[in-house]
């Protein structure tokens, strides 16, 4: 049976698009020849809103992977069915993110020296980052500045009022508790910013002190757990908006957000957790009682062995993690027993995703 064409759409009656109807204007604005699309940057050379909205398909020929259409305005399009399929069914070259399993730490180490000489290994590292929300690089330089050097191989870094990078080192009168020797319970960084920094990198210059191990928690796994097992907590954590606040002598930064934010399809989008910086609104007492129970439970889960991993960043190692998905922290250390100095910076998700897409599509 041949495909059905009427004034405004074509319906496929065979092949991989069987049953699918495509609007003639949708097809018309996908013409990819040099009259319609810049062949270098692949951007449209005309304003599609100015196309005749009553445009229709005058002639078409569908054979295997090829679809040829002559439109009522006289233009001809040659389409690949495979390209249309990918777009219609929103096939993504990125696999679905996976929650952590027991052996997560083992497969997260990547040798930076090898990465530098292999595109395949770089893709593998970025793919792991996408899937699990973090990677640990070994065999890096131990020098100051290595974090920015590495970050800029991926793309531009996100500067903040802490600067382009920050030194995580114990110092007097710090404007953040990270710059002390205190332990830091699992938290996400900077929930008070707009937008919250997407990715954090921490590079270890020296870590000779007693203590000062690194911790990470999978916010996606915790969300799945709460949704399945403790729905009353999941519901309140995904609905109450909290104020996050930072102040020093230069700025006062504030942003509102849910501890667990879902996307428009009710899937996990982002976790925010920083007991140092959160201001819960004065809800009615019953709601507050439940909210506080839920926040406490979230904290318990984040600090439990079932969800938190603990490892040591040694000099010359770097951890890169998704600050929208993971919580991170450190155990306290004793500054009189040795030095500990990390350098950190932020980079955004579009940068890292964009790099991986470029490498995959090449
Ligand atoms: C930070 C932080 C962890 C560490 O600087 O935001 O959480 O290992 N540091 O010192
Ligand atoms: Zn932090």
């Amino acid at each position: 049976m041949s495909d059905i064409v009427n004034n405004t759409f074509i319906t496929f009656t065979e092949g991989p698009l069987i049953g699918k109807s495509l609007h003639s204007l949708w097809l018309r604005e996908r013409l990819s020849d040099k009259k319609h699309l810049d062949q270098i940057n692949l951007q449209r050379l005309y304003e599609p809103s100015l196309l005749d909205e009553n445009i229709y398909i005058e002639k078409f020929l569908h054979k295997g992977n090829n679809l040829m259409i002559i439109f009522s305005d006289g233009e001809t399009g040659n389409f690949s069915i495979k390209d249309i399929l990918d777009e219609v069914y929103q096939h993504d070259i990125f696999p679905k993110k996976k929650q952590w399993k027991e052996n997560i730490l083992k497969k997260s180490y990547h040798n930076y020296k090898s990465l530098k000489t292999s595109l395949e290994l770089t893709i593998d590292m970025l793919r792991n980052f996408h899937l699990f929300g973090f990677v640990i690089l070994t065999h890096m330089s131990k020098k100051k500045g290595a974090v920015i050097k590495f970050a800029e191989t991926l793309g531009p870094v996100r500067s903040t009022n802490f600067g382009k990078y920050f030194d995580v080192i114990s110092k007097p009168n710090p404007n953040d508790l990270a710059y002390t020797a205190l332990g830091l319970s699992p938290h996400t960084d900077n929930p008070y910013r707009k937008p919250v920094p997407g990715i954090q990198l921490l590079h270890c210059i020296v870590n000779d002190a007693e203590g000062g191990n690194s911790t990470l928690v999978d916010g996606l796994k915790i969300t799945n757990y709460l949704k399945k097992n403790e729905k009353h907590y999941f519901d309140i954590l995904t609905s109450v908006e909290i104020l996050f606040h930072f102040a020093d002598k230069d700025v006062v930064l504030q942003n509102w957000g849910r501890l667990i934010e879902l996307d428009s399809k009710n899937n996990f989008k982002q976790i925010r957790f920083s007991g140092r910086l959160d201001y819960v609104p004065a809800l009615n007492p019953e709601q507050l009682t439940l909210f506080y129970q839920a926040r406490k439970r979230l904290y318990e889960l984040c600090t439990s062995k079932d969800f938190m991993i603990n490892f040591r960043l040694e000099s010359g190692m770097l951890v890169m993690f998704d600050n929208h998905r993971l919580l991170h922290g450190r155990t306290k250390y004793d500054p009189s027993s040795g030095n500990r100095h990390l350098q950190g910076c932020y980079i955004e998700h579009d940068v890292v995703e964009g790099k991986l897409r470029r490498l995959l599509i090449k």
Side-chain angles (χ1 to χ4, degrees):
M1 198 161 94
S2 63
D3 301 320
I4 302 159
V5 182
N6 78 5
N7 269 2
T8 50
F9 58 87
I10 170 170
T11 303
F12 293 85
T13 55
E14 57 193 338
L17 278 165
I18 190 162
K20 188 78 199 163
S21 299
L22 294 178
H23 197 283
S24 48
L25 197 49
W26 188 91
L27 286 159
R28 174 63 178 79
E29 64 182 22
R30 273 159 185 70
L31 295 192
S32 58
D33 57 275
K34 68 175 190 290
K35 178 174 168 194
H36 297 92
L37 208 63
D38 185 291
Q39 300 298 296
I40 306 275
N41 57 39
L42 304 183
Q43 295 179 8
R44 271 190 204 110
L45 293 163
Y46 61 97
E47 173 50 60
S49 298
L50 296 177
L51 289 173
D52 174 7
E53 73 245 52
N54 298 315
I55 209 156
Y56 59 90
I57 292 166
E58 225 162 52
K59 273 194 191 141
F60 79 101
L61 187 65
H62 175 195
K63 218 172 172 197
N65 188 47
N66 300 315
L67 177 66
M68 192 278 289
I69 294 178
I70 299 176
F71 293 94
S72 53
D73 62 358
E75 299 293 344
T76 303
N78 289 296
F79 304 91
S80 141
I81 295 288
K82 181 179 173 311
D83 288 350
I84 294 179
L85 261 178
D86 283 347
E87 195 173 347
V88 166
Y89 295 108
Q90 298 182 356
H91 293 154
D92 197 342
I93 48 175
F94 284 11
K96 198 168 175 272
K97 294 182 184 183
K98 293 185 179 160
Q99 71 172 40
W100 295 357
K101 295 206 175 116
E102 267 84 71
N103 61 350
I104 181 64
L105 199 49
K106 265 197 209 132
K107 53 179 170 195
S108 300
Y109 289 93
H110 297 259
N111 182 324
Y112 182 61
K113 273 202 184 127
S114 320
L115 279 191
K116 278 211 309 203
T117 59
S118 162
L119 219 52
E120 276 317 302
L121 291 178
T122 303
I123 290 174
D124 193 47
M125 181 274 287
L126 292 174
R127 194 186 279 123
N128 260 6
F129 174 77
H130 167 79
L131 286 174
F132 302 109
F134 79 105
V135 285
I136 300 169
L137 303 188
T138 63
H139 299 84
M140 287 189 74
S141 155
K142 300 175 178 178
K143 291 194 189 133
K144 292 178 189 169
V147 71
I148 293 291
K149 254 193 181 166
F150 171 70
E152 286 183 341
T153 64
L154 300 171
V157 303
R158 160 108 183 257
S159 293
T160 69
N161 58 313
F162 295 160
K164 190 168 174 183
Y165 68 91
F166 43 89
D167 285 288
V168 186
I169 194 164
S170 174
K171 54 189 170 195
N173 305 320
N175 68 349
D176 193 291
L177 288 182
Y179 311 141
T180 66
L182 295 174
L184 299 174
S185 57
H187 62 280
T188 58
D189 261 24
N190 299 191
Y192 44 79
R193 292 191 196 282
K194 298 178 179 180
V196 177
I199 297 169
Q200 181 171 179
L201 290 84
L202 287 171
H203 168 249
C204 180
I205 293 160
V206 55
N207 195 4
D208 292 340
E210 258 166 46
N213 272 14
S214 302
T215 59
L216 291 174
V217 179
D218 185 6
L220 170 63
K221 185 171 175 179
I222 288 199
T223 301
N224 290 341
Y225 171 86
L226 284 170
K227 187 172 184 179
K228 190 159 169 223
N229 300 291
E230 299 176 27
K231 186 74 169 37
H232 53 310
Y233 290 156
F234 172 85
D235 287 342
I236 194 150
L237 292 171
T238 53
S239 56
V240 173
E241 292 227 336
I242 309 298
L243 176 66
F244 295 96
H245 175 98
F246 170 95
D248 71 2
K249 64 178 181 24
D250 299 319
V251 275
V252 177
L253 302 168
Q254 292 195 340
N255 197 7
W256 289 85
R258 286 153 202 200
L259 294 193
I260 298 174
E261 185 180 338
L262 305 178
D263 67 14
S264 58
K265 292 179 182 149
N266 275 347
N267 291 320
F268 172 83
K269 182 174 179 197
Q270 182 172 351
I271 191 157
R272 297 174 178 84
F273 196 84
S274 189
R276 293 179 265 155
L277 307 159
D278 73 349
Y279 294 81
V280 181
L283 306 171
N284 72 50
E286 293 79 47
Q287 258 186 312
L288 263 189
T289 300
L290 182 60
F291 178 81
Y292 281 133
Q293 285 169 355
R295 190 182 67 176
K296 190 184 183 75
R297 183 67 182 136
L298 181 57
Y299 174 81
E300 279 169 10
L301 293 172
C302 287
T303 46
S304 86
K305 291 233 156 29
D306 293 338
F307 292 98
M308 184 169 81
I309 58 169
N310 179 312
F311 59 99
R312 190 162 183 84
L313 266 193
E314 303 283 4
S315 174
M317 287 166 69
L318 177 148
V319 59
M320 172 165 103
F321 53 88
D322 181 345
N323 188 49
H324 291 181
R325 166 173 171 182
L326 267 55
L327 299 92
H328 67 283
R330 67 158 182 248
T331 60
K332 68 174 188 296
Y333 65 95
D334 175 3
S336 67
S337 65
N339 295 321
R340 185 178 193 274
H341 183 188
L342 311 185
Q343 281 188 327
C345 71
Y346 302 112
I347 186 166
E348 294 302 343
H349 279 293
D350 60 342
V351 169
V352 175
E353 250 185 61
K355 178 59 78 182
L356 179 55
R357 258 182 228 287
R358 182 73 282 162
L359 294 174
L360 289 173
I361 292 171
K362 240 173 206 165

